[in-house]
Amino acid sequence: MDQDETAHMDNSAKLNTEHTSSLVKGSPILTAAEPSNEKTTDVLVTDETVWVTGWRLHFLSLSVAMCMFLVNIEVSIVGTSLISITNDLHGFRQVGWVVTAYLITYTSMIIIWAKLSDIFGRKEATMATMIIFVVFSGGCAASHTMNELIINRAFQGIGAAGCVSMALTIAYEMVPKEQYPAIAAEIAAATALGSLVGPLIGGGVSERSTWRWVFLLNVPAGVITIILLFICVPKNFPHQGQASYVAPTFKEKLSRQSLSRLDVSGAFLLLGATLLLVTVLLEASNEFAWGSGTAISLLVVSAILWVLFLVNERIVTGEEWRAEPVFPWRFLVNRPWMGTLLVSLLSGVPYNIIVIDIPQRFQAVYGASPFGAGVRLIPFNFLIALSSVLINIFAARTRIPPVYILFVGSIIQLVGLALFSTLSTSLTVPSVIYGWEVLAGCGIGIVMGMLLVIPPHVVEARDLAISSGALLQFRVFGGALGLAIASSVMNSHLTSSLSGSIGAEKLASVLQSTAAIKGFPPNVQLQILEAFASGYNLQMKIMTGFAGLQVLAVGLIWRKDQISVVGKKE
């Protein structure tokens, strides 16, 4: 290379450095990329990556936060509305499916959406998922039977899966690694905020209006988010401004060669295995007995599908296959990453139980209104939000390896859940319940906030999208399993405790609607409510067991050269 060419490159790099330094003060500029045809007033160039900055970054961050907020508000907002919904549609026995139908498709589709975005583009995939979410939210509001509601919830979950998967993927790709703690704090805050205000909105709407507004509220908020995404996600994100990147045409995206990248067999095996497993957990002791041929058949078929899924992923991960695996085999030999996923799964188990069962306990056992039940869940959700944000700030400043923070958070969560299981079965609200909410919320918030920043540090760059999807998918899968187990335990407990004293027919009416309890004599009402209270305690004892396993699972993340959540200072 001659001196003129060298001087030209030096001057170009200098000008690019001066320009981008004015965009993000203090950001490290490594090597300038070649100029692109797009305007560069809202991007920061480091090495070969073009980061989003300026107004576009602010609105993109808001869009990501809105996606996480709207999706995570769904479980909690429905939690305080379930009594009103099931009383109106006459289906308390199917109450678990109102939440779980949403979680099954949500659980199964997160990684699949991440992979679809690799083929069709981040912007297109994100907007498509939000449109699906908004349309079927409207469908939920228009439902007139429990079956209609459950079907719409399942399709709503498909859109929700893409929303969270794409939101987290975009968050990882829009800023450099040293900014991950700040972004993780924003995402954790939006997630926890959804859980915080969800019970209040759900309770208030159910108490003062129809429960249908619980779902209708998603429509205007979702439309605003879609508009923001259209405006602020750069064209060809995350390859915007890269001269070496050639964007495929729409025809090329739909070509056989492009679609062959999809691991269709893996996606169907994952969906089938998840659906059958959650189905048997939900319906055992409800529609059929645990030892029945139906239950055993479903469990066997589910186990076979899980084995076939793993075999499929082992084959598809090979270099000779064009299809890109839903869950690459290299994940299974990455111990810190598998430990992260296992902790994510176990942390999701108690979270959904508390968000659903505490409001139900206040309404069914203590006679609180839907809004009152939501207010009483504030300590739990507020501590999740607060600790999720603070722990990322703490980790960024102290550089303490996340494995230690996860261990502490898991122990706090374990203590909180163990204390929950000791609550009195009397009909008087125990004041200590708020203290246990604080402990459990603090522990869960620490774990959730810390897990968000780990994936980019333990997986290969090519797996960034599906790793973010996998992290969320495992947590949601844990939540679905937890709800299925908890619903099964509650139904079994109520059946064994009450069928002999009030009879199967009257028990069926209680399982259809808790409002039927008021039709019993006072002494029988007391017996029924105490059975509900002891059932909630039994659920918490089981959740305590899962929390204990989570403490042990954190050890899998341990390695000699500990993971650091922030980049090294130059």
Side-chain angles (χ1 to χ4, degrees), residues 219-457:
V219 177
V223 170
I224 293 173
T225 305
I226 292 170
I227 294 172
L228 284 175
L229 289 169
F230 179 77
I231 294 173
C232 64
V233 178
K235 184 180 179 182
N236 298 328
F237 181 87
H239 305 289
Q240 68 278 357
Q242 296 180 9
S244 60
Y245 177 74
V246 179
T249 64
F250 182 75
K251 184 177 180 180
E252 289 172 338
K253 291 178 181 179
L254 294 178
S255 67
R256 179 180 299 180
Q257 184 179 18
S258 179
L259 294 178
S260 65
R261 294 169 58 192
L262 289 173
D263 179 14
V264 178
S265 57
F268 276 104
L269 288 170
L270 176 62
L271 181 60
T274 304
L275 177 62
L276 293 179
L277 178 58
V278 176
T279 297
V280 71
L281 289 173
L282 263 181
E283 296 300 331
S285 76
N286 188 7
E287 295 296 330
F288 45 79
W290 276 104
S292 67
T294 303
I296 294 173
S297 299
L298 289 175
L299 285 173
V300 170
V301 175
S302 177
I304 293 173
L305 291 178
W306 281 115
V307 172
L308 291 176
F309 172 71
L310 291 176
V311 172
N312 180 84
E313 297 311 284
R314 179 67 180 91
I315 295 172
V316 175
T317 303
E319 295 296 332
E320 67 276 10
W321 287 81
R322 180 168 179 79
E324 298 173 4
V326 171
F327 193 82
W329 189 260
R330 54 186 171 271
F331 279 6
L332 293 171
V333 296
N334 185 340
R335 181 173 56 80
W337 176 230
M338 289 307 299
T340 302
L341 293 179
L342 182 57
V343 172
S344 184
L345 183 146
L346 292 171
S347 69
V349 173
Y351 173 75
N352 285 344
I353 299 301
I354 294 177
V355 169
I356 296 296
D357 282 7
I358 293 300
Q360 282 191 1
R361 182 172 189 145
F362 274 106
Q363 292 178 70
V365 178
Y366 304 135
S369 66
F371 182 75
V375 170
R376 288 169 171 81
L377 194 60
I378 287 178
F380 175 71
N381 286 317
F382 179 73
L383 260 295
I384 289 180
L386 182 63
S387 56
S388 297
V389 174
L390 293 182
I391 201 61
N392 275 284
I393 296 173
F394 176 77
R397 292 184 177 180
T398 63
R399 295 175 178 262
I400 294 177
V403 66
Y404 300 123
I405 298 174
L406 287 172
F407 185 68
V408 172
S410 297
I411 291 178
I412 295 174
Q413 173 185 313
L414 173 63
V415 173
L417 291 172
L419 291 171
F420 257 123
S421 67
T422 65
L423 290 173
S424 170
T425 57
S426 68
L427 305 187
T428 304
V429 179
S431 58
V432 293
I433 192 172
Y434 305 111
W436 306 160
E437 285 187 35
V438 168
L439 272 177
C442 180
I444 292 174
I446 289 173
V447 173
M448 287 175 57
M450 203 75 269
L451 286 175
L452 287 173
V453 299
I454 293 180
H457 299 276

Side-chain angles (χ1 to χ4, degrees), residues 48-384:
E48 295 182 354
T49 304
V50 184
W51 305 113
V52 181
T53 63
W55 69 268
R56 193 184 290 272
L57 175 60
H58 295 309
F59 281 102
L60 187 53
S61 298
L62 177 60
S63 302
V64 167
M66 285 289 290
C67 288
M68 299 299 290
F69 175 80
L70 290 174
V71 170
N72 283 279
I73 201 176
E74 275 305 297
V75 173
S76 59
I77 197 173
V78 170
T80 49
S81 307
L82 282 176
I83 297 296
S84 300
I85 292 172
T86 55
N87 286 346
D88 184 28
L89 301 181
H90 306 290
F92 185 79
R93 185 184 291 271
Q94 296 172 283
V95 65
W97 277 108
V98 177
V99 176
T100 308
Y102 175 83
L103 292 180
I104 286 176
T105 51
Y106 185 14
T107 300
S108 305
M109 293 293 296
I110 291 177
I111 297 180
I112 296 172
W113 274 115
K115 183 54 63 180
L116 286 171
S117 73
D118 285 339
I119 298 174
F120 296 104
R122 302 284 192 258
K123 185 171 186 176
E124 293 80 358
T126 308
M127 292 183 64
T129 61
M130 182 55 70
I131 290 171
I132 294 172
F133 179 75
V134 169
V135 169
F136 285 99
S137 291
C140 290
S143 300
H144 289 89
T145 67
M146 285 294 286
N147 288 336
E148 287 181 10
L149 178 60
I150 290 169
I151 291 171
N152 278 292
R153 287 282 285 170
F155 280 98
Q156 188 189 29
I158 293 176
C163 289
V164 295
S165 176
M166 299 317 306
L168 190 55
T169 300
I170 289 174
Y172 285 145
E173 293 176 333
M174 69 184 183
V175 295
K177 281 187 177 181
E178 55 266 25
Q179 295 182 30
Y180 282 173
I183 293 297
E186 291 180 11
I187 293 175
T191 301
L193 183 61
S195 299
L196 177 64
V197 303
L200 301 178
I201 297 175
V205 167
S206 298
E207 188 175 330
R208 301 182 182 183
S209 183
T210 172
W211 57 265
R212 299 180 189 279
W213 279 103
V214 166
F215 301 106
L216 281 176
L217 290 173
N218 289 329
V219 177
V223 170
I224 293 173
T225 305
I226 292 170
I227 294 172
L228 284 175
L229 289 169
F230 179 77
I231 294 173
C232 64
V233 178
K235 184 180 179 182
N236 298 328
F237 181 87
H239 305 289
Q240 68 278 357
Q242 296 180 9
S244 60
Y245 177 74
V246 179
T249 64
F250 182 75
K251 184 177 180 180
E252 289 172 338
K253 291 178 181 179
L254 294 178
S255 67
R256 179 180 299 180
Q257 184 179 18
S258 179
L259 294 178
S260 65
R261 294 169 58 192
L262 289 173
D263 179 14
V264 178
S265 57
F268 276 104
L269 288 170
L270 176 62
L271 181 60
T274 304
L275 177 62
L276 293 179
L277 178 58
V278 176
T279 297
V280 71
L281 289 173
L282 263 181
E283 296 300 331
S285 76
N286 188 7
E287 295 296 330
F288 45 79
W290 276 104
S292 67
T294 303
I296 294 173
S297 299
L298 289 175
L299 285 173
V300 170
V301 175
S302 177
I304 293 173
L305 291 178
W306 281 115
V307 172
L308 291 176
F309 172 71
L310 291 176
V311 172
N312 180 84
E313 297 311 284
R314 179 67 180 91
I315 295 172
V316 175
T317 303
E319 295 296 332
E320 67 276 10
W321 287 81
R322 180 168 179 79
E324 298 173 4
V326 171
F327 193 82
W329 189 260
R330 54 186 171 271
F331 279 6
L332 293 171
V333 296
N334 185 340
R335 181 173 56 80
W337 176 230
M338 289 307 299
T340 302
L341 293 179
L342 182 57
V343 172
S344 184
L345 183 146
L346 292 171
S347 69
V349 173
Y351 173 75
N352 285 344
I353 299 301
I354 294 177
V355 169
I356 296 296
D357 282 7
I358 293 300
Q360 282 191 1
R361 182 172 189 145
F362 274 106
Q363 292 178 70
V365 178
Y366 304 135
S369 66
F371 182 75
V375 170
R376 288 169 171 81
L377 194 60
I378 287 178
F380 175 71
N381 286 317
F382 179 73
L383 260 295
I384 289 180

